[in-house]
Amino acid sequence: MDQDQPTCSAKGCQQDAVWALLWNNPKLHTPDRRKTWLACEEHRTTLSDFLGARQFLKDVVPVSEVGTG
């Protein structure tokens, strides 16, 4: 695990993030706002499914495409 690499947002996971899950809760956020969860390969599907079931998930992109700092 790289110390400069952001870590997965899944509870208890310390793996390097590979994916950025861009989401929005329309009851709380303006339509153009994007919140970000980070996911390792193992947790990409479960985190995406969680957000998707609530219709919050807007996009999944490689973590290198978003600013994480």
Side-chain angles (χ1 to χ4, degrees):
M1 185 168 33
D2 183 344
Q3 294 298 333
D4 294 328
Q5 177 75 15
T7 58
C8 180
S9 297
K11 186 175 182 178
C13 185
Q14 295 298 309
Q15 295 299 310
D16 290 345
V18 181
W19 298 102
L21 286 62
L22 307 178
W23 63 278
N24 168 301
N25 180 341
K27 291 183 180 178
L28 301 176
H29 308 122
T30 59
D32 60 326
R33 180 158 182 206
R34 293 294 180 264
K35 302 283 285 179
T36 304
W37 280 359
L38 302 176
C40 64
E41 285 292 346
E42 180 182 351
H43 292 112
R44 177 185 175 179
T45 300
T46 54
L47 292 174
S48 293
D49 288 350
F50 179 87
L51 292 169
R54 289 152 183 80
Q55 299 181 340
F56 292 173
L57 187 63
K58 302 300 179 190
D59 203 1
V60 179
V61 299
V63 75
S64 60
E65 291 187 17
V66 297
T68 57

PDB file of all heavy atoms in Angstrom, residues 1-20:
ATOM      1  N   MET A   1       0.851  -1.186   0.000  1.00  0.00           N
ATOM      2  CA  MET A   1       0.000   0.000   0.000  1.00  0.00           C
ATOM      3  C   MET A   1       0.893   1.244   0.000  1.00  0.00           C
ATOM      4  O   MET A   1       1.784   1.388   0.799  1.00  0.00           O
ATOM      5  CB  MET A   1      -0.898  -0.039   1.231  1.00  0.00           C
ATOM      6  CG  MET A   1      -1.884   1.056   1.285  1.00  0.00           C
ATOM      7  SD  MET A   1      -3.184   0.851   2.539  1.00  0.00           S
ATOM      8  CE  MET A   1      -2.403  -0.001   3.863  1.00  0.00           C
ATOM      9  N   ASP A   2       0.622   2.188  -0.918  1.00  0.00           N
ATOM     10  CA  ASP A   2       1.374   3.419  -1.091  1.00  0.00           C
ATOM     11  C   ASP A   2       0.840   4.472  -0.115  1.00  0.00           C
ATOM     12  O   ASP A   2      -0.354   4.753  -0.095  1.00  0.00           O
ATOM     13  CB  ASP A   2       1.217   3.870  -2.536  1.00  0.00           C
ATOM     14  CG  ASP A   2       2.014   5.113  -2.877  1.00  0.00           C
ATOM     15  OD1 ASP A   2       2.455   5.825  -1.961  1.00  0.00           O
ATOM     16  OD2 ASP A   2       2.197   5.380  -4.077  1.00  0.00           O
ATOM     17  N   GLN A   3       1.728   5.094   0.659  1.00  0.00           N
ATOM     18  CA  GLN A   3       1.301   6.093   1.648  1.00  0.00           C
ATOM     19  C   GLN A   3       0.694   7.334   1.004  1.00  0.00           C
ATOM     20  O   GLN A   3      -0.112   8.016   1.619  1.00  0.00           O
ATOM     21  CB  GLN A   3       2.484   6.487   2.539  1.00  0.00           C
ATOM     22  CG  GLN A   3       2.993   5.373   3.417  1.00  0.00           C
ATOM     23  CD  GLN A   3       1.944   4.871   4.408  1.00  0.00           C
ATOM     24  OE1 GLN A   3       1.035   5.589   4.812  1.00  0.00           O
ATOM     25  NE2 GLN A   3       2.057   3.624   4.800  1.00  0.00           N
ATOM     26  N   ASP A   4       1.077   7.653  -0.241  1.00  0.00           N
ATOM     27  CA  ASP A   4       0.542   8.821  -0.935  1.00  0.00           C
ATOM     28  C   ASP A   4      -0.747   8.517  -1.687  1.00  0.00           C
ATOM     29  O   ASP A   4      -1.425   9.418  -2.147  1.00  0.00           O
ATOM     30  CB  ASP A   4       1.583   9.371  -1.919  1.00  0.00           C
ATOM     31  CG  ASP A   4       2.804   9.924  -1.204  1.00  0.00           C
ATOM     32  OD1 ASP A   4       2.660  10.435  -0.072  1.00  0.00           O
ATOM     33  OD2 ASP A   4       3.903   9.837  -1.773  1.00  0.00           O
ATOM     34  N   GLN A   5      -1.071   7.251  -1.821  1.00  0.00           N
ATOM     35  CA  GLN A   5      -2.266   6.822  -2.543  1.00  0.00           C
ATOM     36  C   GLN A   5      -3.474   6.896  -1.610  1.00  0.00           C
ATOM     37  O   GLN A   5      -3.411   6.431  -0.477  1.00  0.00           O
ATOM     38  CB  GLN A   5      -2.074   5.381  -3.038  1.00  0.00           C
ATOM     39  CG  GLN A   5      -3.253   4.776  -3.731  1.00  0.00           C
ATOM     40  CD  GLN A   5      -3.475   5.296  -5.134  1.00  0.00           C
ATOM     41  OE1 GLN A   5      -2.599   5.920  -5.715  1.00  0.00           O
ATOM     42  NE2 GLN A   5      -4.643   5.044  -5.668  1.00  0.00           N
ATOM     43  N   PRO A   6      -4.580   7.489  -2.058  1.00  0.00           N
ATOM     44  CA  PRO A   6      -5.785   7.512  -1.215  1.00  0.00           C
ATOM     45  C   PRO A   6      -6.304   6.093  -0.980  1.00  0.00           C
ATOM     46  O   PRO A   6      -6.089   5.205  -1.799  1.00  0.00           O
ATOM     47  CB  PRO A   6      -6.781   8.340  -2.015  1.00  0.00           C
ATOM     48  CG  PRO A   6      -6.238   8.418  -3.390  1.00  0.00           C
ATOM     49  CD  PRO A   6      -4.774   8.145  -3.340  1.00  0.00           C
ATOM     50  N   THR A   7      -6.991   5.910   0.143  1.00  0.00           N
ATOM     51  CA  THR A   7      -7.492   4.584   0.495  1.00  0.00           C
ATOM     52  C   THR A   7      -8.993   4.455   0.240  1.00  0.00           C
ATOM     53  O   THR A   7      -9.715   5.439   0.163  1.00  0.00           O
ATOM     54  CB  THR A   7      -7.204   4.251   1.977  1.00  0.00           C
ATOM     55  OG1 THR A   7      -7.808   5.235   2.791  1.00  0.00           O
ATOM     56  CG2 THR A   7      -5.713   4.198   2.253  1.00  0.00           C
ATOM     57  N   CYS A   8      -9.415   3.232   0.154  1.00  0.00           N
ATOM     58  CA  CYS A   8     -10.805   2.875  -0.085  1.00  0.00           C
ATOM     59  C   CYS A   8     -11.710   3.424   1.025  1.00  0.00           C
ATOM     60  O   CYS A   8     -11.333   3.444   2.197  1.00  0.00           O
ATOM     61  CB  CYS A   8     -10.908   1.350  -0.152  1.00  0.00           C
ATOM     62  SG  CYS A   8     -12.570   0.715  -0.456  1.00  0.00           S
ATOM     63  N   SER A   9     -12.907   3.839   0.641  1.00  0.00           N
ATOM     64  CA  SER A   9     -13.882   4.383   1.597  1.00  0.00           C
ATOM     65  C   SER A   9     -14.688   3.318   2.332  1.00  0.00           C
ATOM     66  O   SER A   9     -15.425   3.640   3.268  1.00  0.00           O
ATOM     67  CB  SER A   9     -14.872   5.300   0.864  1.00  0.00           C
ATOM     68  OG  SER A   9     -14.212   6.409   0.300  1.00  0.00           O
ATOM     69  N   ALA A  10     -14.574   2.057   1.920  1.00  0.00           N
ATOM     70  CA  ALA A  10     -15.326   0.992   2.586  1.00  0.00           C
ATOM     71  C   ALA A  10     -14.866   0.874   4.040  1.00  0.00           C
ATOM     72  O   ALA A  10     -13.673   0.960   4.335  1.00  0.00           O
ATOM     73  CB  ALA A  10     -15.142  -0.335   1.860  1.00  0.00           C
ATOM     74  N   LYS A  11     -15.815   0.677   4.923  1.00  0.00           N
ATOM     75  CA  LYS A  11     -15.526   0.603   6.357  1.00  0.00           C
ATOM     76  C   LYS A  11     -14.464  -0.462   6.646  1.00  0.00           C
ATOM     77  O   LYS A  11     -14.602  -1.621   6.260  1.00  0.00           O
ATOM     78  CB  LYS A  11     -16.801   0.279   7.130  1.00  0.00           C
ATOM     79  CG  LYS A  11     -16.617   0.328   8.616  1.00  0.00           C
ATOM     80  CD  LYS A  11     -17.925   0.124   9.336  1.00  0.00           C
ATOM     81  CE  LYS A  11     -17.715   0.217  10.830  1.00  0.00           C
ATOM     82  NZ  LYS A  11     -18.983   0.075  11.545  1.00  0.00           N
ATOM     83  N   GLY A  12     -13.388  -0.038   7.304  1.00  0.00           N
ATOM     84  CA  GLY A  12     -12.335  -0.949   7.722  1.00  0.00           C
ATOM     85  C   GLY A  12     -11.317  -1.296   6.647  1.00  0.00           C
ATOM     86  O   GLY A  12     -10.321  -1.939   6.919  1.00  0.00           O
ATOM     87  N   CYS A  13     -11.545  -0.878   5.406  1.00  0.00           N
ATOM     88  CA  CYS A  13     -10.622  -1.209   4.312  1.00  0.00           C
ATOM     89  C   CYS A  13      -9.464  -0.220   4.294  1.00  0.00           C
ATOM     90  O   CYS A  13      -9.660   0.988   4.413  1.00  0.00           O
ATOM     91  CB  CYS A  13     -11.349  -1.196   2.967  1.00  0.00           C
ATOM     92  SG  CYS A  13     -10.297  -1.730   1.593  1.00  0.00           S
ATOM     93  N   GLN A  14      -8.273  -0.736   4.130  1.00  0.00           N
ATOM     94  CA  GLN A  14      -7.083   0.103   4.046  1.00  0.00           C
ATOM     95  C   GLN A  14      -6.364  -0.050   2.702  1.00  0.00           C
ATOM     96  O   GLN A  14      -5.231   0.388   2.550  1.00  0.00           O
ATOM     97  CB  GLN A  14      -6.116  -0.253   5.191  1.00  0.00           C
ATOM     98  CG  GLN A  14      -6.665   0.058   6.569  1.00  0.00           C
ATOM     99  CD  GLN A  14      -6.930   1.544   6.755  1.00  0.00           C
ATOM    100  OE1 GLN A  14      -6.070   2.381   6.503  1.00  0.00           O
ATOM    101  NE2 GLN A  14      -8.139   1.879   7.173  1.00  0.00           N
ATOM    102  N   GLN A  15      -7.046  -0.658   1.722  1.00  0.00           N
ATOM    103  CA  GLN A  15      -6.442  -0.868   0.407  1.00  0.00           C
ATOM    104  C   GLN A  15      -6.401   0.448  -0.378  1.00  0.00           C
ATOM    105  O   GLN A  15      -7.190   1.365  -0.143  1.00  0.00           O
ATOM    106  CB  GLN A  15      -7.247  -1.904  -0.387  1.00  0.00           C
ATOM    107  CG  GLN A  15      -7.225  -3.288   0.229  1.00  0.00           C
ATOM    108  CD  GLN A  15      -5.806  -3.844   0.305  1.00  0.00           C
ATOM    109  OE1 GLN A  15      -5.077  -3.832  -0.677  1.00  0.00           O
ATOM    110  NE2 GLN A  15      -5.435  -4.312   1.482  1.00  0.00           N
ATOM    111  N   ASP A  16      -5.469   0.507  -1.334  1.00  0.00           N
ATOM    112  CA  ASP A  16      -5.382   1.675  -2.205  1.00  0.00           C
ATOM    113  C   ASP A  16      -6.650   1.814  -3.033  1.00  0.00           C
ATOM    114  O   ASP A  16      -7.186   0.835  -3.545  1.00  0.00           O
ATOM    115  CB  ASP A  16      -4.194   1.542  -3.161  1.00  0.00           C
ATOM    116  CG  ASP A  16      -2.839   1.666  -2.460  1.00  0.00           C
ATOM    117  OD1 ASP A  16      -2.802   2.129  -1.310  1.00  0.00           O
ATOM    118  OD2 ASP A  16      -1.825   1.300  -3.091  1.00  0.00           O
ATOM    119  N   ALA A  17      -7.129   3.042  -3.157  1.00  0.00           N
ATOM    120  CA  ALA A  17      -8.297   3.310  -3.989  1.00  0.00           C
ATOM    121  C   ALA A  17      -7.898   3.282  -5.459  1.00  0.00           C
ATOM    122  O   ALA A  17      -6.848   3.804  -5.841  1.00  0.00           O
ATOM    123  CB  ALA A  17      -8.886   4.670  -3.631  1.00  0.00           C
ATOM    124  N   VAL A  18      -8.727   2.673  -6.272  1.00  0.00           N
ATOM    125  CA  VAL A  18      -8.521   2.595  -7.714  1.00  0.00           C
ATOM    126  C   VAL A  18      -9.633   3.351  -8.439  1.00  0.00           C
ATOM    127  O   VAL A  18      -9.437   3.893  -9.513  1.00  0.00           O
ATOM    128  CB  VAL A  18      -8.494   1.117  -8.173  1.00  0.00           C
ATOM    129  CG1 VAL A  18      -8.268   1.005  -9.662  1.00  0.00           C
ATOM    130  CG2 VAL A  18      -7.419   0.349  -7.418  1.00  0.00           C
ATOM    131  N   TRP A  19     -10.807   3.393  -7.832  1.00  0.00           N
ATOM    132  CA  TRP A  19     -11.994   3.977  -8.453  1.00  0.00           C
ATOM    133  C   TRP A  19     -12.542   5.124  -7.610  1.00  0.00           C
ATOM    134  O   TRP A  19     -12.495   5.088  -6.381  1.00  0.00           O
ATOM    135  CB  TRP A  19     -13.081   2.920  -8.611  1.00  0.00           C
ATOM    136  CG  TRP A  19     -12.642   1.808  -9.492  1.00  0.00           C
ATOM    137  CD1 TRP A  19     -12.213   0.580  -9.095  1.00  0.00           C
ATOM    138  CD2 TRP A  19     -12.516   1.835 -10.908  1.00  0.00           C
ATOM    139  NE1 TRP A  19     -11.851  -0.160 -10.189  1.00  0.00           N
ATOM    140  CE2 TRP A  19     -12.027   0.584 -11.320  1.00  0.00           C
ATOM    141  CE3 TRP A  19     -12.795   2.802 -11.872  1.00  0.00           C
ATOM    142  CZ2 TRP A  19     -11.794   0.284 -12.647  1.00  0.00           C
ATOM    143  CZ3 TRP A  19     -12.570   2.500 -13.195  1.00  0.00           C
ATOM    144  CH2 TRP A  19     -12.078   1.250 -13.580  1.00  0.00           C
ATOM    145  N   ALA A  20     -13.106   6.116  -8.290  1.00  0.00           N
ATOM    146  CA  ALA A  20     -13.823   7.213  -7.642  1.00  0.00           C
ATOM    147  C   ALA A  20     -15.287   7.084  -8.016  1.00  0.00           C
ATOM    148  O   ALA A  20     -15.631   7.061  -9.202  1.00  0.00           O
ATOM    149  CB  ALA A  20     -13.267   8.556  -8.097  1.00  0.00           C
TER     150      ALA A  20
END
